[in-house]
């Protein structure tokens, strides 16, 4: 059994390592020696050292290193009972070639082929690319063994084709659809003869002869199964997407995987059928910088929304959203933190603001992924230029204003304080009386309207109470935070006490690390009676720490009291609403005393220097007059 592994470099491989594994006496070492030397060995050691095949052994000229392994007793039965399960347990995710050695010793009367024996095993273990028989002694199919192993690495079947259903895998279809659209220059839904020829030249460096183009179309028209009247794969304008996909499925079925892989790699895809890492830009930023889409990128996304919102009802239905991302490996918003982070319409769709909000969230959290998906959906020009890095937050504080369009708000609060209800109300989710504890961080994002027609995007990041300690272990954990909100149950004094403790913890962390953030306190459940001394307690804390009094809200009654606009307004002025702890105040007083002392010392020194200079001038004059 040959296990093929390759370097991680997508596209062009720098080398292939083939591990030969199997039971004792199956002929592993003889196979390797015969392949290298073209001579059957009279004797071989139990395990060979790693062996390098000549670079020009195969036309690909990709270096191959063959690695022998020690073995254990028994043979074919152990393939399905030991070797393949063992590879799975070790999570060795590489293609597998099953090799039947010593073909020369097979009984001539034995009619069962390796394919018949291997068929049920290959059904169970889909990682097996192919199986082949050989004889090192008789020199039968020795080069072919390692050719198939190399081919399994350079042109694997697994990512492209589902053997069971005999269909292209979804990611392969999505990638080929994107390639088709890119090559359909006139956007008429078909590849004309000229477009087909350009595609051929780009991928294979050779034009198609007119007779070859006719032949390609004829194959599609004759062999495409189930083609309807509307799409037989070819129409008067040329080869349709259906026909393009059918051709690739045909290539793969006939074992010509290198054709489809060449196409994919020419358009930047790696073995995972995703754009290769070197194509996706990375963004180096300071901890207190954030990433936003440029106005040009936002305008492009607005146009995309309008294009796919076919009935113009400001409701992008799930099927329409899926259509937008049908040229990406998958929809990027199907998993947390993006799933359900934006407000849904009554028809479970997205408004244009919700659509843009999801993009804003992805750009904020992972700008490289946002750019990658912009490329997938056809963003024209330099996608890296679609993202801008904001000014550092510490500079914003000095300038006493922020030029950001997207604000990141951390939401803290004790259990049962009402912070989840606050976050849910932000994106239009109904209020539920049943309490469900927050165990994981979650996000909500929406557009906030400000006076003067200004729109800003606000991202709420809910932090579970139990996660605060872990969060603050990281020195830079508050660096991405534009503003922190602390929610407490206004009817529960213990909730208030815990909320103020969290406020002090966060404020202290900001003072210690230099990443101070503006803070607001939210008094939730305003529909209930406040606890005794609530006003006095909140007034004292607000005055002592130098921040605004708590904002009362009632999510249950739908009374948000403009809290989201207040959050954005506070974030726009990052020099205000920054709480000051006793320790921070003492540190500032100490620093002021030290600075004042240094100032007196420096002034005294300056006076002394001036006096010394004056004395020298006086002395010089006295000497000259004498």
């Amino acid at each position: 059994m040959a296990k093929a592994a390759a370097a991680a470099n997508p596209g062009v491989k720098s080398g292939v390592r083939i591990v030969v594994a199997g039971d004792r006496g199956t002929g592993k070492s003889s196979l390797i020696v015969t392949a290298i030397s073209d001579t059957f060995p009279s004797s071989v050691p139990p395990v060979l050292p790693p062996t390098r095949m000549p670079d020009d052994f195969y036309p690909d000229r990709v270096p191959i290193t063959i690695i022998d392994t020690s073995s254990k007793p028994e043979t074919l039965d152990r393939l399905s009972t030991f070797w393949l399960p063992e590879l799975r347990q070790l999570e060795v995710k590489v293609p597998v070639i099953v090799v039947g050695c010593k073909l020369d010793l097979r009984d001539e009367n034995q009619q069962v082929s390796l394919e018949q024996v291997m068929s049920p095993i290959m059904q169970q273990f889909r990682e097996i690319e192919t199986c082949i028989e050989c004889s090192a002694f008789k020199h039968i199919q020795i080069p072919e063994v390692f050719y198939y192993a190399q081919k399994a690495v350079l042109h694997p079947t697994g990512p492209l084709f589902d053997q069971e259903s005999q269909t292209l895998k979804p990611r392969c279809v999505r990638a080929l659809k994107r390639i088709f659209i890119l090559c359909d220059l006139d956007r008429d839904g078909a590849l004309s003869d000229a477009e087909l020829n350009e595609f051929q030249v780009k991928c294979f460096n050779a034009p198609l002869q007119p007779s070859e183009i006719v032949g390609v179309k004829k194959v599609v028209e004759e062999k495409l199964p189930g083609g309807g009247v509307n799409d037989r794969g070819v129409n008067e304008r040329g080869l349709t997407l259906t026909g393009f996909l059918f051709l690739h499925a045909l290539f793969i079925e006939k074992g010509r995987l290198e054709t489809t892989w060449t196409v994919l790699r020419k358009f930047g895809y790696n073995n995972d059928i995703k754009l290769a890492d070197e194509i996706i830009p990375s963004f180096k930023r300071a901890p207190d910088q954030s990433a936003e889409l440029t106005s040009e990128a936002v305008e492009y996304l607005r146009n995309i929304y309008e294009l796919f919102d076919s009935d113009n009802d400001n409701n992008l239905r799930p099927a329409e959203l899926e259509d937008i991302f049908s040229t990406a490996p998958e929809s990027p918003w199907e998993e947390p933190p993006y799933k359900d982070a934006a407000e849904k319409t009554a028809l479970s769709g997205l408004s244009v603001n919700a659509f843009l909000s999801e993009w804003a969230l992805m750009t904020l959290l992972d700008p490289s992924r946002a750019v990658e998906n912009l490329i997938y959906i056809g963003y024209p020009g330099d996608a890296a230029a679609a993202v801008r890095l904001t000014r550092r937050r510490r500079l914003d504080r000095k300038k006493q204003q922020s030029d950001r369009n997207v604000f990141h708000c951390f939401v803290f609060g004790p259990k049962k304080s009402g912070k989840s209800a606050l976050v849910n109300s932000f994106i239009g989710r109904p209020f539920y009386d049943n309490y469900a504890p927050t165990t994981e961080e979650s996000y909500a994002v929406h557009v906030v309207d400000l006076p003067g027609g200004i729109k800003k995007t606000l991202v709420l990041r809910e932090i579970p109470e139990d996660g605060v300690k872990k969060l603050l272990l990281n020195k830079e954990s508050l660096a991405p935070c534009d503003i922190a909100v602390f929610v407490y149950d206004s009817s529960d004094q213990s909730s208030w006490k815990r909320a103020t403790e969290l406020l002090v913890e966060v404020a202290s962390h900001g003072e210690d690390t230099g990443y101070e953030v503006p803070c607001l306190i939210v008094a939730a459940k305003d529909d209930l009676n406040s606890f005794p001394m609530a006003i006095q307690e909140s007034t004292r804390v607000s005055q002592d720490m130098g921040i605004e009094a708590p904002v009362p809200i009632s999510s249950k009654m739908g009374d948000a009291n403009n809290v989201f606009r207040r959050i954005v307004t506070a974030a726009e002025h990052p020099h205000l609403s920054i709480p000051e702890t006793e320790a921070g105040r003492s540190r500032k007083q100490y620093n002021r005393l030290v600075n004042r002392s240094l100032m007196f010392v420096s002034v005294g020194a300056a006076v002394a220097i001036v006096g010394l200079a004056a004395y020298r001038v006086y002395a010089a004059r006295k000497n000259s007059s004498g």
Side-chain angles (χ1 to χ4, degrees), residues 38 77 131 199 265 306 404 460 557:
D38 202 29
D77 291 340
C131 54
F199 165 78
R265 286 173 180 144
E306 291 174 6
R404 301 185 181 203
L460 300 182
M557 304 303 292

Side-chain angles (χ1 to χ4, degrees), residues 145-461:
V145 168
F146 295 103
Y147 172 72
Y148 281 123
Q150 181 205 52
K151 189 177 178 182
V153 173
L154 299 179
H155 315 300
T157 306
L160 304 183
F161 201 70
D162 187 320
Q163 299 278 17
E164 191 168 349
S165 63
Q166 291 291 291
T167 57
L168 295 174
K169 286 192 171 177
R171 270 198 183 184
C172 181
V173 171
R174 287 165 170 262
L176 291 174
K177 180 180 178 181
R178 173 175 172 264
I179 292 168
F180 179 89
I181 292 171
L182 290 173
C183 296
D184 181 17
L185 301 177
D186 57 8
R187 299 289 187 270
D188 67 348
L191 297 183
S192 65
D193 291 0
E195 290 168 338
L196 203 54
N197 196 51
E198 282 189 41
F199 165 78
Q200 180 76 10
V201 170
K202 176 180 175 66
C203 295
F204 303 102
N205 301 315
L208 282 170
Q209 297 302 316
S211 60
E212 292 175 310
I213 293 176
V214 171
V216 166
K217 293 183 189 176
K218 189 174 180 181
V219 166
V220 173
E221 287 181 308
E222 290 178 352
K223 296 192 174 183
L224 180 62
V229 176
N230 295 329
D231 193 351
R232 288 287 300 170
V234 175
N235 61 27
E236 67 279 1
R237 295 187 299 276
L239 184 71
T240 67
L241 175 61
T242 302
F244 186 72
L245 295 174
F246 170 72
L247 277 177
H248 283 281
L250 197 61
F251 291 145
I252 293 168
E253 283 181 29
K254 293 184 178 296
R256 291 173 54 190
L257 289 95
E258 63 275 9
T259 302
T260 301
W261 275 117
T262 299
V263 170
L264 290 169
R265 286 173 180 144
K266 280 291 182 180
F267 283 86
Y269 287 89
N270 60 21
N271 273 19
D272 294 323
I273 322 292
K274 297 181 70 175
L275 289 177
D277 290 343
E278 54 265 32
I279 294 175
I280 310 302
S282 58
F283 296 89
K284 293 183 179 178
R285 46 184 172 158
D288 58 347
Q289 279 183 296
S290 64
E292 297 180 358
L293 291 173
T294 62
S295 58
E296 293 80 8
V298 171
E299 187 59 31
Y300 172 77
L301 291 171
R302 282 186 186 277
N303 292 334
I304 286 288
Y305 184 94
E306 291 174 6
L307 179 65
F308 284 85
D309 180 21
S310 53
D311 50 8
N312 298 316
D313 61 348
N314 195 29
N315 171 49
L316 195 69
R317 297 190 299 273
E320 292 170 329
L321 182 64
E322 172 58 33
D323 204 12
I324 289 177
F325 289 115
S326 64
T327 49
E330 52 269 322
S331 174
W333 301 339
E334 289 300 313
E335 300 293 334
Y338 309 107
K339 185 176 175 63
D340 298 326
E343 184 175 22
K344 296 288 177 68
T345 66
L347 300 174
S348 299
L350 295 177
S351 67
V352 65
N353 279 344
F355 178 73
L356 295 175
S357 293
E358 284 277 26
W359 278 101
L361 176 61
M362 185 159 58
T363 308
L364 179 77
L365 299 182
D366 193 346
S368 292
R369 191 178 184 197
V371 168
E372 180 182 1
N373 279 283
L374 281 172
I375 295 172
Y376 286 136
I377 68 171
Y379 187 80
D382 181 10
V387 170
R388 77 174 187 99
L389 299 183
T390 63
R391 190 168 61 197
R392 295 190 64 176
R393 197 169 288 105
R394 61 182 57 187
L395 289 177
D396 285 347
R397 283 208 304 270
K398 286 182 179 178
K399 292 182 178 292
Q400 300 187 357
Q401 64 178 4
S402 174
D403 64 348
R404 301 185 181 203
N405 295 310
V406 180
F407 292 105
H408 196 175
C409 171
F410 287 21
V411 181
F412 298 95
K415 295 180 179 67
K416 299 185 178 181
S417 61
K419 59 184 183 296
S420 295
L422 171 69
V423 171
N424 287 336
S425 69
F426 183 48
I427 52 175
R429 289 184 190 151
F431 177 83
Y432 294 107
D433 277 316
N434 295 337
Y435 171 69
T438 301
T439 56
E440 301 288 338
E441 290 189 3
S442 64
Y443 288 83
V445 57
H446 201 35
V447 172
V448 176
D449 293 313
L450 300 179
I454 297 172
K455 294 180 181 292
K456 299 289 184 180
T457 301
L458 177 62
V459 174
L460 300 182
R461 175 184 175 187

Side-chain angles (χ1 to χ4, degrees), residues 56 135 142 159 174 352 372 377 409 430 437 471 489 494 507 509 515 612:
D56 59 354
S135 168
I142 298 303
R174 287 165 170 262
V352 65
E372 180 182 1
I377 68 171
C409 171
L471 176 78
D489 178 349
S494 62
H509 188 271
Y515 295 117
L612 179 62

Side-chain angles (χ1 to χ4, degrees), residues 130-147:
T130 191
C131 54
I132 182 173
E133 291 181 304
C134 69
S135 168
F137 181 68
K138 293 275 187 165
H139 290 241
I140 300 173
Q141 296 201 132
I142 298 303
E144 286 84 349
V145 168
F146 295 103
Y147 172 72

